[in-house]
Each structure stands twice: as structure tokens, then as C-alpha cells.
Amino acid sequence: MATQTPKPQEIAKGLSHQPPSENWMDTKPEFRSGMYCHPVKVASLEGMGGAFAREWNPTEADWKLPADWKGIVKDGLKDRLRRFRSFQVFMDICVRCGACADKCHFFIGTGDPKNMPVLRAELIRSIYRGEFRTAGKILGKLAGGRKLTEEVIKEWFYYFFQCTECRRCSVFCPYGIDTAEITIIAREILNLLGLQIDWIGTPVNACYHVGNHLGLKPHTFKENIEYLLGDIEENVGITIEPSFNRKGAEILFVTPSGDVFADPGIFTCMSYLILFEYLGLDYTWSTYASEGGNFGFFTSNETMKRLNYKMYAESKRLGVKWILGGECGHMWRVVHQYMDTMNGPADHLEVPRSPITGTVFENAKSTKMVHVTEFTADLIKNGKLNLDKSRNDHYTVTWHDSCNTSRGFGFLEEPRYVLRNVVNNFYEMPDQTIREQTFCCGSGSGLNAGENLEQRFRGGLPRANAVQFVHEKHGVNMLANICAIDRAALKPLMDYWVPAVNVCGLSELVANALVIPGEKAARSTNLRGEEINDLREEAGLEPIEWPEEDEEGGEAGEEGEE
Amino acid sequence: MSFIFSLVAVTVLVLVPLVGVTVADLRWLFGVVVPYAAVATFLIGVSYRVLKWSNSPVPFRIPTTCGQAKGLPWIKTNKLDNPCSLPAVIGRMFLEVFLFRSLFRNTRMEYHQGPKVRYGSSKWLWLFGLLFHYSFLVVLIRHLRFFTEPVPMWVQIVEHIDTFFEMGLPLPGPDGLYVGLPLLAQSGVILLAAATLLFLRRVVIAQVRYISIAGDWFPLLLIIFIAKTGIIMRYVLKVDVVTVKKLTMSLVALKPELPADPISFMFYIHIFLVSFLFAYFPFSKLMHLGGVWLSPTRNLVNNSREKRHINPWNPEVKFHTYAEYEDDFREQMIEAGIPVEKEA
């Protein structure tokens, strides 16, 4: 497992992007520890009514495929060729120009030619030609066709769970061929054979039955947030009493559950709580719709719909006017490009209107769901937040555009506007690594597991390397983003490749800068419980002279610089 | 392997009409039957594929957004890379189809030890591709001269522009007078050059060579041979254009008739290769000509939060309802002070 992960220099030295001499159809993937994810647990797959749940192991020869697996795959392919114009067109028109070849983070980080997006798609396209098209049937390999074998299925499993559906290749393709679309469909087909990874299958099952990926039951979900409230009280000095499942609230707030659970996501979650309290927002959390993320998106369109259903259903039950969504990448691709189509129309909701500024979000008039960052940008634009940027001066920040919000949404300027208003030191990474050309964290689309660390660190190399560039050039020490998977995945990635850089959600920087009525006279510790003056000293800044503390402030003062 | 196969295939395609016409005198077959069959295959095949594509559903609105979306009114939208309206999509598609916008973005990854990953600009593929496609288009338009009488003005204009850099080298004619070479059409030469460059690129770049299949080598070689035979006819053999036009006009009129005067075997090779290209077209990657218009990541408006997109097969699925959820956790919810619908 994690112990076998090679050192950064070992990976760096061994990297070559030259393809081998033998034809790619003659090579097989090696299921090496650290480079693949574990199969889904039987109970998780059965919980969702998935087919052919069984114990199996990718490293063993026999994958215990169902008897008629070949028929299932062929029918599955035919069915999807018929239902998705994208899939049919993408199977037919690739000219193999190679423009996408070096755009994939997994290709850059592994050198494995089958990670070139064109070849990843050819893994299926070759079957499409060899099984369904006359020329491929007759000429076989010469015409790029091959027959469906168990080896092909194993190869699909390896490479379609080594694609994060980030769509970077699609930006450069002259026909817009989107490997994410192909991977989504490939995973649907693998699912038909009961082939799924646990880091997707188990969260999906938990989300469906319990309400969130982590399987936090209603009382635990509430307790987790209450725990954060305790930290807020200690570090900021304000008391917050959010509501859960409250009928009649104006707004339902939904965020990825990773934010109520793990560092550094919890600091983002604390920031939401602080911001909404500051605004006096009439909102509620839901323990039922307690998951913004949607791992169903990484299994099948049907599963995505089943999980996403809860947001609209809960907003209807609670009678809220509109939905506010937290910082998340793929959640926002789903909310933006799929939700209304799958589970709409949301006629029970109203066109979102900020109760603070009066701004009507016309751009969300059908989904009725607003991104917390555009909500915040609107607040700042209208002067509704009292911000002291200098409180973030010990951070030199760079911005990581998340794949999904960039290439499946176009949410580029809103976060930058917020960022510029809450920090003084902001440097962009090189142009070819940001905005629509941004690089994936290497762990998206459900690959953020513990057993595939080498795969993740390799896939994250281009992102980490761009961070290293601005770290060395501008002294960047904080990587900000609006994605829960990024928050979870970029931290270990930075620790691996660029140890001096930390990771945070955008809202955390907002909360840091927010001057809150009733806050402790000395906010000498940040949300993370770190002494701000220690951080300032590290950054070469003068310490802040905190005012005298009263009562509870004493504790922080003891450890603080005097 | 696939390259050698393709080279052999094209060579055979050259030899078939050569032998067919010079040995077996199958001029009717190669001059009339094959071109008709090829055009019919092309028209039926292309229509079938395009209709099949356009009749297939687009379940989700999935544009690849390559710039700022329309959002808060004071944030500037990048309309052409992230279209928020139909005119913007038309603009995006125009740039994509006619100027190869996405290919223009191309970069080249450079890996150095350190590790240092760097990205350089790389416009060669864009340039070769653009030259290739536009010169091919001009060549096609010039050939309309053989299928129209009188030749439309716009065809003449294209031809005039194409031969702007006239290379009328004085050469002695058959009657001792000096005549110029036929006007050198740049398009033909550029087509050959660009196709050759695309071919060399496929050979030289290891990764591109690795992914190439017969379906990539074959059409390139076929087009290179078509360009070559065309150039040979025009400048070396100086095939009698008037006789050729008699044949082509009879084909257009659907009253095919082989002219009395003989036509060079090179013409039969040329028209056979072109016929093969037409017939091969609908079955090949060349269909990207039709597909580029239908790519859902490019031709859709990015407004799915503003306007509901309909999935014609939106599946019926089983949901886990709130009532079921509350039944599972009612006691714990009550204990934790979370409101419930039904008291225990």
C-alpha cells in the first residue's frame, strides 16, 4: 500500500514518454500495487442493486466474469451508441492527429502510451471497429480492430480508472472529442459486469442510503458540524447555532460532505458557517441531502440521477426558495450540466435572489441553485463584507482551477475576483496550467483512494510542478481552490512534490479576512488553530500587536508571542 | 505493418486501372461505371452517417467550456469559447470548422529532469492542417471546371487567384512557337506539400506513429497519389483537357460517352484513385468533415442552469425517498433534536 510508494526522485528519473516498439494491442497492463484501486465491496454494490456483486481481485487471472459477459458488453456498447450522440460521433471521427497525446496528466506522469487520450479512446474504438464495423472485422489489427477478450476488459478497468474525466484533452481536440464522455460510458459498461472500484462504490451506497458519501448518520452529521462550531467559538469567539432540516428556511445549503469531516475541508466548512452567521442568512442544512458531491457521476448516468434527486426533493419538502451550493468540482459539473435535465424542472423553487444584495441570479433561473463563490463575489461587489486582506498577508497564494468548474462550467473569474479581495499576494501559475488548460489534481472522478497513491502522485505531477514553479519564483505557500476533492487530494500531493505549500478552500481565505462583529479582540489564531504571528514570522512579516484579551482570550495569549 | 499494408493497397489501386485500361481496354468501366458507383456510394454513405448521427439523441448539455461563462452581469463573458447564446455558438463553430480554433491552442509538453514539466507553443499541426484542407478545397473548386458549362464566374475567380503567382516559363511548343507552361496552380502543390508534411509528422513523431493505423496512413497516401497524378497530368503529360471535359460533361449529363480521342492512362489512374477516395469516405475517419459539426462538446450553448435541457430518454430510476430515510433514522434524529415528519 502506501508504504511502497516510490520517492519523488525515483518517479522523476524513471519517466520516459517514448512509446515501446511493440504494437499497443500486444501489451498488457500490470496491476502493480499503488497503481490501481481495490474492487468494490460486495455489500456496497448489492446495496445499489448492482449486477454480479462478487469477491474478485484484479491481480488474479480469473475475474469471475458473468457467463455471458461478452454479450453484455456488446449489447451495452450498442445501446449507448444509440443513446449518446457524443459516444457515436467520438467513436467515428477521431483522426488520431495526436494533439491530445501530451495533454493528459496521467500520460505526463506515467509515460504510459495508453494514457494518451487518443489511445485511451482507442481501447474502446478498436472493439467498436473489430466487432461492429466491416473493415475492422475483416482486416483486424491492420484496420485498428480487435476482438473482445477478457484481456480487453482488464485493460479497460485499468485505464478507465486511470482517467479522471478532467476534459483537458477535449479542449485541444479539433473535434472536441471528450475522453471524459468515453470514460463515463466505459465505466457504465464495466459496471454491467460488476466491475467497480471501492472508493466509488462504497460512497455511492452510503450516499444513497445514509445521505452522504461518508455514511454520516443524521445525528453524526449534526455532531460533526457542532464540533466545528466549538472550534469557531474558540478561535473566533462567536457562537453560531445553525439549523438542520428546518422547514420554511429561505435557502437550503448543500456542500460536499468531505467538508464536514476532513482537514483542510473542515476549515472551508467553518468558513461557510461564519459567513452565513455574519450575513444573518435564513438557511438550513439537511442531513438527508447532506452530500453535494455525486459519485454516481463516476459510475453511471442512472446512479448520478438517483443520488442527485435528493437536493430537489429535500428543497421541496422543506419549502425553501432556492439552493446554495458549496465549493465542489464535479458537484458543480453535475449541478450545471446534468441536474435540471435529470431531476428538474424545479418549479417548486424561485429564481434565486440574494437576500443581502437583492441580486437576482438570472444565470441560474432554471436550476435555482447558486454557487457560494458567485454568491460571495456578489456580496463583495456590493460592499456587504467588511474585509481586511492583510489578515492573509502571511499567505502567498496561487489559484488552482478545478477541472469540472473550468471545463464543464466556465467558472473562472468569480473565484479570482473573490481571491483578489481577500488576499494581497496572489500569483497565477503558468498560462498552460490554469483556467481551461488547468491540470487535474490526479485524484478526481473517484480515484482519491488510499491504495493508489503512486497513481495519484504521478497524475498530479503536472499540477504540482506548476505549483513548484510559482513557489520557487514568488514564494507561493498556499494553493487555494473550490473543490472538496482538491482539498483532500492536493494536500498529500503537495506534501509529496512541493512540501512547503499548503492547501485551502477559497472560503477559508474569505473567513480569515472577514472582520466579524463580536469577534475576539485578538483573533490571534486562525481557523486552523495556528498562531497567526508564528505564520507571519515564517513569512518574514512583523507580528501583529494583539489588543489585551478578556476572559477566554487568555488561552490563546499564553502561547502567543508577547 | 499498417503503413506497409496501406502503401501496398494504394499501389494496387494504381495498378488496377493501369492494367485495366492499357491491357484490357476497360475504359468504360474505369471512365464511367466506377465514377458513378463511387459518387453514389459517397452520397448515400455520407447521408446515412450524418442522418444517423443527427437522429441520435443528445441527452445532456455538455459543452467543453474554454473560457469564462455568462454569470454575474459585471463579469465579462468569453462568448466564443464559452457560448451563452445561439449566435455565440455559431461564432464558436465558425472558428472551429474554418480556422481550427482548438488545434490553434496546441502546446508541446517538454519533460526535463528535476522534474520540470514545461509547455511550448506548437502550431505546426494547425498550420499543416489548415494548408492541407484549404488547398484541397481550392483543388476541388477548380475541378468544377470539368463539370460545368459555362464555368461559373466564382470558379474562375478561385482559379484566377490560385494561379496568381503564374509560372509561365517559356517553352518551345510543337509548332516551334514558344508557349507557356500551364498556369501553376498553387493549391495542387500546397496540397501535395501539406499532405507530405502531415505524413512525415506521422512518421517522425514517435507517439503519433504509435497510434497510427491503416485508416490513417491509407487516406494520406491515397491523397498524395491523387495529387501526384494530377500534377503529372497537368505539367508533364499535358493531358488533353478538352477531351477529358467531353467525358466529364457526359457524366454530368447522365449520358455517358467515351470520347473518340484517346485519353492518357494517367487520367484513368487519377479518376480511379479519386473514385476510391469518394467511395471510401463514408466508411472512414474522413467523416470528421460531417462529425465536426455535430460534436456536442462544441455546438451547444452553455446555458444549462438558465434553460432546462431535455433528455428524450431520461430514465426512470428508483430513488431513496426522505420518508424511507426518516424511517431508518427516526429515533436518532429525534434524540439529536433534528425535526421529523412523523413522531415515533
Side-chain angles (χ1 to χ4, degrees):
Chain A
M1 293 243 283
T3 49
Q4 298 167 350
T5 307
K7 298 264 177 302
Q9 279 309 315
E10 288 169 358
I11 286 186
K13 280 214 177 76
L15 252 185
S16 160
H17 298 87
Q18 284 299 307
S21 53
E22 73 245 77
N23 188 296
W24 67 262
M25 286 190 200
D26 300 329
T27 63
K28 281 198 269 184
E30 181 199 349
F31 284 89
R32 189 160 52 80
S33 175
M35 287 297 288
Y36 70 94
C37 290
H38 293 160
V40 64
K41 290 186 188 75
V42 171
S44 301
L45 201 54
E46 280 175 344
M48 293 302 291
F52 306 114
R54 63 188 182 277
E55 298 281 351
W56 64 283
N57 185 341
T59 58
E60 284 168 11
D62 181 10
W63 283 23
K64 305 175 190 167
L65 297 180
D68 182 32
W69 68 269
K70 215 179 263 193
I72 294 170
V73 171
K74 281 192 203 175
D75 290 346
L77 279 170
K78 273 186 207 153
D79 176 44
R80 282 157 186 82
L81 286 165
R82 191 178 54 73
R83 279 192 289 138
F84 294 87
R85 182 184 297 172
S86 53
F87 189 43
Q88 176 70 63
V89 171
F90 296 164
M91 284 296 106
D92 282 331
I93 66 170
C94 176
V95 299
R96 285 162 296 280
C97 71
C100 59
D102 58 1
K103 308 302 182 286
C104 174
H105 50 284
F106 278 119
F107 177 64
I108 295 174
T110 63
D112 184 337
K114 289 181 190 174
N115 276 328
M116 293 191 281
V118 50
L119 212 42
R120 199 186 306 281
E122 290 284 306
L123 298 180
I124 290 197
R125 218 176 265 128
S126 56
I127 300 302
Y128 170 67
R129 285 189 292 255
E131 296 280 359
F132 299 144
R133 310 269 302 167
T134 318
K137 277 189 209 167
I138 298 168
L139 295 172
K141 204 195 263 184
L142 281 174
R146 57 176 180 166
K147 291 291 167 197
L148 191 54
T149 63
E150 283 199 43
E151 294 307 317
V152 169
I153 298 298
K154 291 176 183 177
E155 194 180 46
W156 284 4
F157 181 82
Y158 187 79
Y159 288 104
F160 290 112
F161 288 103
Q162 196 167 153
C163 163
T164 48
E165 305 177 1
C166 83
R167 308 185 104 196
R168 190 169 191 268
C169 48
S170 165
V171 169
F172 295 91
C173 175
Y175 317 117
I177 295 175
D178 180 9
T179 309
E181 200 68 2
I182 293 166
T183 295
I184 288 167
I185 283 163
R187 288 184 182 186
E188 280 197 9
I189 288 168
L190 289 169
N191 256 310
L192 299 177
L193 304 177
L195 302 173
Q196 176 59 274
I197 65 169
D198 194 53
W199 219 77
I200 295 174
T202 294
V204 161
N205 186 48
C207 187
Y208 185 73
H209 292 286
V210 186
N212 51 70
H213 293 157
L214 302 163
L216 302 175
K217 293 178 178 172
H219 53 292
T220 318
F221 186 81
K222 185 170 178 240
E223 276 166 21
N224 268 40
I225 289 183
E226 279 164 352
Y227 173 81
L228 302 182
L229 297 173
D231 279 5
I232 293 173
E233 197 156 335
E234 188 177 322
N235 293 319
V236 183
I238 59 168
T239 310
I240 303 174
E241 287 178 8
S243 62
F244 295 84
N245 300 12
R246 176 165 63 89
K247 286 191 176 179
E250 183 178 359
I251 298 163
L252 169 65
F253 179 65
V254 182
T255 197
S257 65
D259 282 353
V260 302
F261 181 73
D263 176 339
I266 49 172
F267 309 121
T268 306
C269 190
M270 287 155 80
S271 307
Y272 301 144
L273 289 157
I274 292 170
L275 177 69
F276 301 158
E277 177 70 14
Y278 175 94
L279 298 170
L281 208 61
D282 177 16
Y283 81 106
T284 185
W285 295 79
S286 165
T287 59
Y288 170 65
S290 52
E291 181 58 68
N294 189 329
F295 276 31
F297 186 46
F298 309 141
T299 60
S300 71
N301 284 287
E302 285 72 20
T303 312
M304 164 168 62
K305 181 176 177 178
R306 291 173 78 184
L307 300 188
N308 178 264
Y309 157 84
K310 291 182 182 183
M311 286 193 207
Y312 278 157
E314 185 69 339
S315 66
K316 191 169 188 176
R317 185 182 76 86
L318 298 177
V320 301
K321 288 183 178 162
W322 54 278
I323 308 172
L324 183 61
E327 299 178 7
C328 183
H330 75 273
M331 158 184 167
W332 272 98
R333 173 139 198 242
V334 173
V335 167
H336 178 68
Q337 295 195 325
Y338 295 87
M339 176 163 81
D340 201 14
T341 298
M342 296 186 298
N343 292 318
D347 291 337
H348 59 283
L349 297 173
E350 294 174 12
V351 177
R353 179 183 167 279
S354 169
I356 316 298
T357 64
T359 299
V360 177
F361 291 88
E362 291 286 346
N363 58 329
K365 70 180 173 200
S366 186
T367 52
K368 280 102 168 178
M369 187 151 173
V370 172
H371 194 295
V372 70
T373 301
E374 62 187 337
F375 181 72
T376 308
D378 174 62
L379 292 169
I380 295 173
K381 184 77 179 174
N382 286 285
K384 299 293 182 189
L385 301 184
N386 183 5
L387 298 166
D388 176 4
K389 285 195 217 193
S390 69
R391 291 184 179 188
N392 279 317
D393 274 356
H394 46 285
Y395 294 136
T396 301
V397 182
T398 193
W399 181 249
H400 165 68
D401 289 284
S402 303
C403 313
N404 283 292
T405 50
S406 306
R407 293 183 281 259
F409 188 175
F411 202 68
L412 307 173
E413 290 303 334
E414 292 87 347
R416 284 178 170 77
Y417 176 80
V418 172
L419 193 55
R420 289 198 183 93
N421 277 284
V422 296
V423 301
N424 281 313
N425 316 313
F426 164 42
Y427 296 95
E428 292 274 20
M429 285 179 275
D431 284 347
Q432 299 86 354
T433 68
I434 56 168
R435 296 178 186 268
E436 75 278 4
Q437 298 196 25
T438 190
F439 273 107
C440 179
C441 60
S443 306
S445 84
L447 303 187
N448 196 18
E451 64 268 19
N452 61 335
L453 281 178
E454 181 181 343
Q455 182 191 49
R456 290 171 48 192
F457 293 156
R458 284 177 178 276
L461 171 62
R463 169 40 76 227
N465 212 249
V467 175
Q468 188 171 9
F469 182 81
V470 283
H471 169 66
E472 285 166 7
K473 195 171 173 194
H474 303 291
V476 161
N477 59 9
M478 184 57 91
L479 179 58
N481 61 76
I482 42 168
C483 172
I485 289 181
D486 279 327
R487 286 189 281 278
L490 287 174
K491 187 68 184 73
L493 185 73
M494 289 301 115
D495 290 345
Y496 186 80
W497 290 110
V498 206
V501 177
N502 217 322
V503 176
C504 74
L506 178 61
S507 292
E508 183 181 345
L509 297 173
V510 175
N512 284 346
L514 200 59
V515 181
I516 308 162
E519 68 183 358
K520 287 205 305 196
R523 276 178 70 181
S524 61
T525 50
N526 61 17
L527 298 178
R528 301 182 177 217
E530 298 163 333
E531 287 297 330
I532 288 174
N533 276 346
D534 289 355
L535 297 170
R536 289 179 69 90
E537 193 181 328
E538 267 176 51
L541 297 169
E542 291 292 311
I544 294 173
E545 298 275 334
W546 301 111
E548 288 296 313
E549 272 301 344
D550 52 348
E551 306 165 65
E552 327 117 306
E555 199 186 329
E558 277 167 34
E559 291 168 33
E561 309 276 335
E562 291 299 329
Chain B
M1 257 320 276
S2 58
F3 165 67
I4 298 195
F5 170 79
S6 305
L7 189 62
V8 170
V10 177
T11 311
V12 169
L13 290 181
V14 171
L15 292 176
V16 165
L18 180 66
V19 174
V21 171
T22 56
V23 179
D25 195 26
L26 296 168
R27 287 179 301 152
W28 183 264
L29 176 68
F30 290 104
V32 177
V33 179
V34 167
Y36 271 144
V39 170
T41 312
F42 176 82
L43 291 176
I44 295 168
V46 170
S47 314
Y48 173 79
R49 294 293 288 282
V50 170
L51 283 175
K52 189 177 170 189
W53 288 336
S54 40
N55 285 330
S56 62
V58 180
F60 301 108
R61 191 165 279 267
I62 51 161
T64 306
T65 57
C66 301
Q68 173 62 37
K70 185 183 161 198
L72 290 161
W74 46 270
I75 289 177
K76 196 169 177 295
T77 309
N78 181 343
K79 290 196 176 98
L80 288 173
D81 287 322
N82 191 340
C84 55
S85 63
L86 186 62
V89 163
I90 292 170
R92 184 185 206 190
M93 290 306 290
F94 176 84
L95 291 180
E96 201 61 83
V97 175
F98 295 99
L99 295 172
F100 304 176
R101 165 82 181 102
S102 294
L103 219 43
F104 190 71
R105 285 194 189 97
N106 198 22
T107 56
R108 193 165 49 92
M109 187 272 299
E110 290 159 25
Y111 181 76
H112 309 282
Q113 278 308 326
K116 278 196 172 73
V117 192
R118 297 293 178 262
Y119 311 90
S121 166
S122 175
K123 306 268 187 255
W124 291 113
L125 178 58
W126 172 80
L127 184 67
F128 296 169
L130 209 63
L131 285 174
F132 174 80
H133 284 85
Y134 274 100
S135 56
F136 207 141
L137 179 66
V138 171
V139 167
L140 275 175
I141 292 172
R142 277 203 291 110
H143 277 70
L144 289 178
R145 165 173 290 279
F146 290 99
F147 301 95
T148 48
E149 187 61 47
V151 178
M153 184 53 89
W154 65 276
V155 174
Q156 295 188 34
I157 292 171
V158 168
E159 203 166 20
H160 185 72
I161 295 170
D162 193 31
T163 50
F164 185 73
F165 298 102
E166 183 180 322
M167 268 176 54
L169 287 174
L171 287 174
D175 47 3
L177 295 169
Y178 279 90
V179 296
L181 262 179
L183 298 178
L184 180 78
Q186 288 117 55
S187 55
V189 177
I190 296 172
L191 175 63
L192 184 59
T196 307
L197 287 168
L198 287 175
F199 174 80
L200 288 176
R201 176 182 171 276
R202 213 169 258 290
V203 175
V204 171
I205 302 175
Q207 286 111 359
V208 185
R209 189 171 63 236
Y210 193 68
I211 57 176
S212 294
I213 58 176
D216 304 311
W217 300 112
F218 176 72
L220 257 182
L221 288 171
L222 188 59
I223 289 165
I224 287 173
F225 273 68
I226 287 171
K228 278 184 183 163
T229 50
I231 288 172
I232 291 171
M233 271 198 291
R234 189 173 162 117
Y235 303 106
V236 181
L237 298 177
K238 305 213 185 71
V239 170
D240 182 11
V241 178
V242 178
T243 318
V244 169
K245 185 155 181 177
K246 268 186 201 159
L247 171 62
T248 52
M249 285 310 292
S250 80
L251 290 175
V252 171
L254 300 177
K255 288 175 190 156
E257 197 188 330
L258 289 175
D261 301 324
I263 308 177
S264 164
F265 67 90
M266 192 58 73
F267 166 77
Y268 286 100
I269 294 176
H270 186 70
I271 201 168
F272 184 71
L273 294 180
V274 171
S275 298
F276 201 91
L277 182 69
F278 269 65
Y280 172 75
F281 197 99
F283 306 99
S284 70
K285 71 168 189 177
L286 304 178
M287 278 306 291
H288 66 266
L289 171 69
V292 66
W293 300 92
L294 289 167
S295 181
T297 61
R298 290 290 186 272
N299 71 3
L300 290 169
V301 183
N302 178 39
N303 64 349
S304 30
R305 278 208 291 163
E306 208 175 323
K307 193 165 176 288
R308 184 164 182 246
H309 176 85
I310 304 294
N311 174 0
W313 51 262
N314 197 6
E316 289 289 321
V317 294
K318 191 185 171 328
F319 299 120
H320 190 68
T321 64
Y322 175 80
E324 292 170 286
Y325 169 85
E326 195 183 292
D327 285 347
D328 289 345
F329 299 112
R330 185 169 294 110
E331 275 175 38
Q332 287 122 313
M333 289 172 79
I334 292 170
E335 206 168 303
I338 299 168
V340 288
E341 296 277 342
K342 278 194 274 182
E343 293 299 326

